[in-house]
Amino acid sequence: MTTTPQSADVLVIGWGLAGLVAASEALDAGRRVILIDQEPRTNLGGQAWWSFGGLFLIDSPEQRRMGIRDSLALATQDWLGTAAFDRPEDEWPRRWAEAYLQFAAGEKRAWLRERGVGFFPVVGWAERGGYGALGPGNSVPRFHITWGTGPGIVAPFAAAVEQGEREGHLTILPRHRVTELVVTDGAVTGARGQILESTAAARGVESSRRAISDFEISAGATIVASGGIGGNHDLVRAAWPEHLGTPPAHMLTGVPAYVDGSMHAVSEAAGARLINGDRMWHYVEGITNWDPVWPSHGIRILPGPSSLWLDATGTRLPVPLFPGFDTLGTLAHLRATGHDHSWFVTSRQIVEKEFALSGSEQNPDLTGKDVGLLLKSRLAKGPTGPVQAFLDEGEDFIVENDLESLLEQMAAHPGGEFLDIDHVRREVVARDLEIENDFTKDAQIGMLRSMRGYRGDRLIRTAAPHRLQDPSAGPLVAVKLHVLTRKSLGGITTDLDGRALGLDGEPIAGLFAAGEASGFGGGGVHGYRALEGTFLGGCLFSGRQAGRAASA
């Protein structure tokens, strides 16, 4: 059974942040819009709703108030050193990077402020690098947390779409799964697919794929904003790059199951060129969610710099692979160990000060814009409520009052059989000996002392240096860490207007792409690595570009 064909000026496939932005831009241009997604409407906002809401800004008022000197030149140096563009197909990704940097240093903040988006005043310092001025990493703090986290950044664009729906200019069609882009005389003129059965599944919960009928939608312009492949471990492993070693046998999933990469093949069948599929962004600080929403649900620890990081055998990670410094470098190193997990050994005092959890649901104070709860949870003694819940309930956490008891429990934990317990003991004791003096040869200790020179770190992110075995620092804590899937850094090649390009490098008439489906622009704006806070921003910028161009 096929439903009555529908038509619109602009068809947007995927209602994550990029799709919402694209749809809202098309509405602003006076176009009739159809917005479709394979999930129930409870998932409006997609992955962005679940995010911490971090945004990359350059030379912002928030930075200046924190005493941070930033500039477009410095940010460009950091981006290019991190991206390491080195392929012929990186021409458009590099152009997108240059355009996005101009956006982040220019109108991005004001454009968001006009839509009611505000920012937490303390700027975070993610991906610190540690290799040198021309290497990867952020030279200065640039991670601006949206007041309201992911839901806060989604809200104005969801509201614009819903207003367009009320006014009759936009139609939202949930449970519409695209299986084909319609190509007429070389131009994409819409999409066909299946209507899936209705479901009452809550946001993020895996939903049925049983089809009940077919659909066809014709459109003057079609925008693919369907996300990446992080929810499909088979696709992640198939695309896994050689420079990251062998793919893990065991991974946690940092995105809902609907992030399945299904539109990549559909777009390619319509002539779109996909590039950089082997570039991806997965975290190594994943912990098993004690209260999961989707299958194999993992949460990322956003760590401060103080925890002792050991591989599965108990060997300390090399310089500069400290917590929060180099995500992909750490992943590559750990894959070479032959094990799928690693360990933090830390203290409760460090956990209280430095452990944040990625995700809107893990940060009720910021997500709920609750100042009272914020002050209580971030500045008062003790971990935040969600962190305490993992200490109490999380299967990857071990808490003991003394080192010998901690080592005994680590050895008994699944995966602990690979540990050289005597070596772990030596690592902890050696680290504690180094920290008792103001001078040190330990690069991590030197770095964390340096970081406390930044007000933001000293206030909420970096614990005062102390011995892990100091009784006043509270119980010792060990955390087993897993690889956590997250982002695709490659995708559909696009020009700066978001037009999908074919194998010949020419635009495919009627077809556009945005967000993670386009590698956040151009087919890989981040190159090999990201600077953090750039994924949501890439959705905003690429969605805006595609929405405007598709409406021209």
Side-chain angles (χ1 to χ4, degrees):
M1 174 183 174
T2 302
T3 60
T4 303
Q6 300 187 64
S7 64
D9 298 320
V10 178
L11 168 64
V12 180
I13 302 170
W15 59 30
L17 182 58
L20 292 178
V21 172
S24 66
E25 290 290 338
L27 286 171
D28 286 345
R31 301 294 180 261
R32 294 179 301 109
V33 181
I34 293 178
L35 175 63
I36 67 175
D37 197 281
Q38 64 184 344
E39 291 305 302
R41 188 155 176 164
T42 48
N43 287 276
L44 191 72
Q47 284 180 255
W49 190 93
W50 293 98
S51 75
F52 195 36
L55 289 170
F56 178 94
L57 296 172
I58 301 167
D59 192 27
S60 69
E62 289 78 17
Q63 286 176 298
R64 293 193 291 272
R65 282 194 290 268
M66 296 299 295
I68 301 163
R69 289 179 166 182
D70 199 6
S71 68
L72 177 58
L74 183 61
T76 300
Q77 176 175 288
D78 288 350
W79 192 291
L80 296 180
T82 301
F85 296 123
D86 63 355
R87 297 173 175 175
E89 57 266 37
D90 282 335
E91 177 186 357
W92 281 111
R94 186 176 183 124
R95 291 192 197 183
W96 269 92
E98 293 166 351
Y100 177 70
L101 286 161
Q102 292 281 350
F103 178 59
E107 64 177 308
K108 179 180 178 182
R109 183 181 181 279
W111 182 69
L112 289 170
R113 292 290 293 165
E114 288 171 2
R115 287 155 178 77
V117 176
F119 303 101
F120 185 59
V122 179
V123 183
W125 196 350
E127 286 299 296
R128 303 180 191 223
Y131 297 93
L134 293 177
N138 283 297
S139 297
V140 298
R142 296 191 177 104
F143 192 80
H144 296 67
I145 301 169
T146 303
W147 189 229
T149 66
I153 195 70
V154 166
F157 303 102
V161 162
E162 289 169 341
Q163 180 178 341
E165 182 184 34
R166 288 192 298 271
E167 294 174 350
H169 305 306
L170 179 142
T171 302
I172 297 178
L173 299 176
R175 304 298 280 161
H176 279 56
R177 180 177 174 84
V178 173
T179 58
E180 179 187 0
L181 292 174
V182 179
V183 180
T184 307
D185 297 328
V188 171
T189 56
R192 298 188 185 101
Q194 300 172 329
I195 300 176
L196 306 179
E197 66 179 348
S198 180
T199 175
R203 182 184 290 274
V205 174
E206 190 173 21
S207 62
S208 163
R209 288 292 177 264
R210 189 175 79 85
I212 57 174
S213 61
D214 299 322
F215 74 88
E216 181 170 342
I217 299 170
S218 61
T222 298
I223 302 173
V224 176
S226 53
I229 67 173
N232 186 325
H233 287 195
D234 290 337
L235 287 181
V236 169
R237 291 191 179 97
W240 195 269
E242 186 176 340
H243 70 269
L244 290 181
T246 57
H250 169 75
M251 295 185 286
L252 298 177
T253 309
V255 294
Y258 57 71
V259 187
D260 58 11
S262 58
M263 281 302 299
H264 282 75
V266 171
S267 301
E268 193 170 33
R273 184 189 184 197
L274 272 66
I275 61 173
N276 297 320
D278 63 335
R279 291 179 181 169
M280 52 186 67
W281 189 257
H282 306 305
Y283 293 109
V284 282
E285 310 99 337
I287 50 176
T288 308
N289 194 349
W290 65 273
D291 186 20
V293 177
W294 52 79
S296 302
H297 189 176
I299 298 293
R300 184 202 175 197
I301 297 173
L302 286 77
S306 300
S307 295
L308 186 66
W309 203 338
L310 309 174
D311 69 19
T313 70
T315 301
R316 190 174 180 185
L317 271 59
V319 176
L321 303 183
F322 311 133
F325 276 65
D326 179 7
T327 293
L328 234 58
T330 307
L331 176 59
H333 174 79
L334 290 174
R335 294 310 309 140
T337 69
H339 300 282
D340 293 346
H341 67 278
S342 61
W343 296 89
F344 279 164
V345 176
T346 190
S347 70
R348 182 180 175 89
Q349 183 173 318
I350 292 172
V351 171
E352 290 177 1
K353 188 82 168 182
E354 298 190 5
F355 276 29
L357 301 175
S358 182
S360 55
E361 83 285 11
Q362 301 296 331
N363 295 275
D365 50 355
L366 292 164
T367 301
K369 303 181 181 181
D370 188 330
V371 176
L373 181 58
L374 175 72
L375 294 173
K376 179 181 177 182
S377 62
R378 306 286 166 167
L379 299 180
K381 187 173 177 58
T384 65
V387 170
Q388 184 63 58
F390 272 92
L391 286 167
D392 295 338
E393 306 288 345
E395 66 182 65
D396 295 317
F397 285 73
I398 301 169
V399 182
E400 292 291 342
N401 287 322
D402 61 87
L403 180 59
E404 293 308 316
S405 297
L406 187 81
L407 295 175
E408 181 181 348
Q409 291 302 315
M410 290 175 69
H413 201 81
E417 65 272 18
F418 303 112
L419 287 167
D420 181 336
I421 292 299
D422 289 337
H423 187 73
V424 176
R425 184 184 296 108
R426 289 196 300 272
E427 292 280 18
V428 173
V429 170
R431 187 257 187 208
D432 281 0
L433 277 172
E434 287 285 329
I435 212 160
E436 290 183 327
N437 199 301
D438 288 340
F439 307 100
T440 182
K441 67 181 180 184
D442 189 304
Q444 182 179 5
I445 294 171
M447 289 294 287
L448 70 90
R449 284 175 175 158
S450 172
M451 289 166 194
R452 284 178 59 82
Y454 167 50
R455 290 201 306 267
D457 271 355
R458 187 171 65 253
L459 182 65
I460 64 171
R461 285 299 276 149
T462 304
H466 62 271
R467 295 171 57 248
L468 296 179
Q469 297 183 83
D470 183 347
S472 68
L476 286 158
V477 180
V479 188
K480 184 181 177 183
L481 305 171
H482 310 266
V483 176
L484 178 73
T485 65
R486 188 60 64 88
K487 295 295 183 184
S488 309
L489 299 187
I492 300 167
T493 311
T494 60
D495 65 12
L496 289 179
D497 287 325
R499 297 183 298 178
L501 305 181
L503 295 177
D504 60 0
E506 295 299 314
I508 299 171
L511 184 61
F512 300 77
E516 195 174 352
S518 67
F520 303 90
V525 67
H526 299 95
Y528 286 93
R529 312 181 192 213
L531 285 173
E532 290 286 20
T534 56
F535 299 135
L536 292 178
C539 290
L540 293 168
F541 186 55
S542 62
R544 194 176 82 150
Q545 294 294 96
R548 290 179 178 183
S551 304

